[in-house]
Amino acid sequence: MSSSIEGRRIVLGVTGGIAAYKAIEVCRRLVDAGAHVIPVMTDDATRFVGEVTFSALASEPVQKSLWSEADPIPHTHLGKTADLILVAPATARFLGCYAAGISDGLLTATVLATRAPVIVCPAMHTEMWEHAAVQENLATLARRGVIVVPPAEGRLAGGDAGLGRLADPAEIVAAAVAVLEGRGYQVPSGRLRDFDGRRVLVSAGGTREPIDPVRFISNRSSGKQGHALARAAADRGADVILVTTTNRPAPPGAKVVRVDTAASMEEAMLEHAANADVVIMAAAVADFRPKVPAEAKLSKADGLPDILLEPTPDILRELGRRRPVGQVLVGFAAETGDAVERAAAKLTAKGVDLMVANDVSAAGVGFDHDTNAVTILGADGGRRQVELSSKRQVADAVLDSVAGLLD
Ligand code: C5P
């Protein structure tokens, strides 16, 4: 690890929360790994830990003020020369100022005066962490590219326990290294609550269209991607309804509606979509069904059956027609070649905000695998590629794109 961040300039912002004492450990680890750490403390931070401690451990003395005699514009120098700005702990006040673009001190001015990546590590009491104002500020910052290392569960100040404790210093340092190495930081599952209170409806699995009482037309869909989406949304705070054709485990707390045919899936989806903020059609709906399923089992003795097919309803297109204002609608397009171009055409035809394209003929991609590789297409022309990764990671990437579209 030491070589990859050797000599890289990290501005370590420390704001005024009890977790400021843990920033000492973050500072020490970064310096040990060879980074050049410049500590910037707010006045409130110095109430929790002495600036001498940071000055002694870091690569430069602590800076605190915009009004330094030695440098009339310290924030622009810090912002321009930093390879990374890491704020740990980040208080609700700091996040609020940053999201609102208010530069009321050296640290808030520095994060606004930089093009370097910025990581914020919030720490606060659970009630504050879960407050809509804090979550909305974080969602705003995340949408602008700020990397959030979310807090963990555990003991808080005053003897309380819950979600809000500063992430472990080792995790914060690992995030800094990952960002400096250009690998990006993957939020551990269930730690970001950016879908708090959102109603998310997900469909999963392949539909089964009966030929007779024992046979059906279906496809290779396993439902894994849809279930991963439901779980990721629940972990991120959403109220989830999962309409699924499979018996896979559902996320705790999610309402599960088991369906089998395209018709039963359509009924469930249209019913629940009316009240959803986000609708994700990850199911593989059969395109054709026997027009009249046989009432009794077809027998070989009767010769080859003459099965007349008809198209199934296009649920996604209907959801697109009926969707309420503000609802985010997402479709999936599993293709075997030209996936992105075909998905782009479907995005327009079905009236969705996002279409997730995957080429299921590629190795490790799509049906029944635990991994997937997709391109997320936006109605605004945006394209985001997600290389081969777990279905959970793909789910989080899709939700990141959805989060960017929610008011
Ligand atoms: O047209 P195609 O089947 O490729 O479109 C894929 C997308 O449309 C998926 O999101 C799928 O869930 C949805 N779909 C649907 N109803 C159908 C066929 C597909 O909702 N009958």
Side-chain angles (χ1 to χ4, degrees), residues 363-374:
V365 174
F367 297 139
D368 215 27
H369 290 288
D370 290 324
T371 50
N372 209 353
V374 302

Side-chain angles (χ1 to χ4, degrees), residues 20 27 70 122 238 264 294 298 359 362 376:
C27 178
S264 58
L298 297 172
D359 182 345
I376 303 168

Side-chain angles (χ1 to χ4, degrees), residues 102-115:
I102 295 171
S103 110
D104 66 346
L106 180 56
L107 186 59
T108 42
T110 304
V111 289
L112 295 177
T114 193
R115 296 216 161 89

Side-chain angles (χ1 to χ4, degrees), residues 291-310:
K291 195 165 179 157
V292 187
E295 276 175 22
K297 184 184 168 191
L298 297 172
S299 166
K300 258 189 291 191
D302 298 332
L304 275 184
D306 198 7
I307 301 171
L308 182 62
L309 297 176
E310 67 175 4

Side-chain angles (χ1 to χ4, degrees), residues 52-143:
V52 178
T53 313
F54 279 99
S55 293
L57 285 172
S59 316
E60 293 187 12
V62 164
Q63 299 193 41
K64 281 189 347 186
S65 171
L66 271 169
W67 313 110
S68 136
E69 281 178 15
D71 183 351
I73 42 171
H75 57 298
T76 58
H77 288 157
L78 285 169
K80 269 194 189 134
T81 56
D83 292 310
L84 173 71
I85 299 180
L86 172 63
V87 183
T91 56
R93 175 193 160 83
F94 169 80
L95 296 169
C97 286
Y98 188 13
I102 295 171
S103 110
D104 66 346
L106 180 56
L107 186 59
T108 42
T110 304
V111 289
L112 295 177
T114 193
R115 296 216 161 89
V118 178
I119 300 177
V120 295
C121 310
M124 60 200 76
H125 256 71
T126 311
E127 292 79 0
M128 290 177 86
W129 168 248
E130 291 182 347
H131 196 283
V134 172
Q135 289 301 321
E136 281 168 24
N137 286 333
L138 274 167
T140 301
L141 292 172
R143 199 163 54 239

Side-chain angles (χ1 to χ4, degrees), residues 182-237:
R183 286 186 282 120
Y185 166 71
Q186 182 73 38
V187 178
S189 67
R191 298 269 301 281
L192 197 62
R193 305 276 302 176
D194 56 348
F195 279 75
D196 244 337
R198 300 288 190 182
R199 291 159 302 180
V200 176
L201 173 63
V202 181
S203 70
T207 65
R208 296 172 165 197
E209 310 302 331
I211 296 170
D212 67 17
V214 297
R215 304 182 178 92
F216 53 80
I217 294 176
S218 191
N219 55 63
R220 292 184 181 280
S221 170
S222 63
K224 285 181 182 172
Q225 186 62 74
H227 280 244
L229 276 157
R231 183 167 292 269
D235 285 346
R236 290 167 71 153

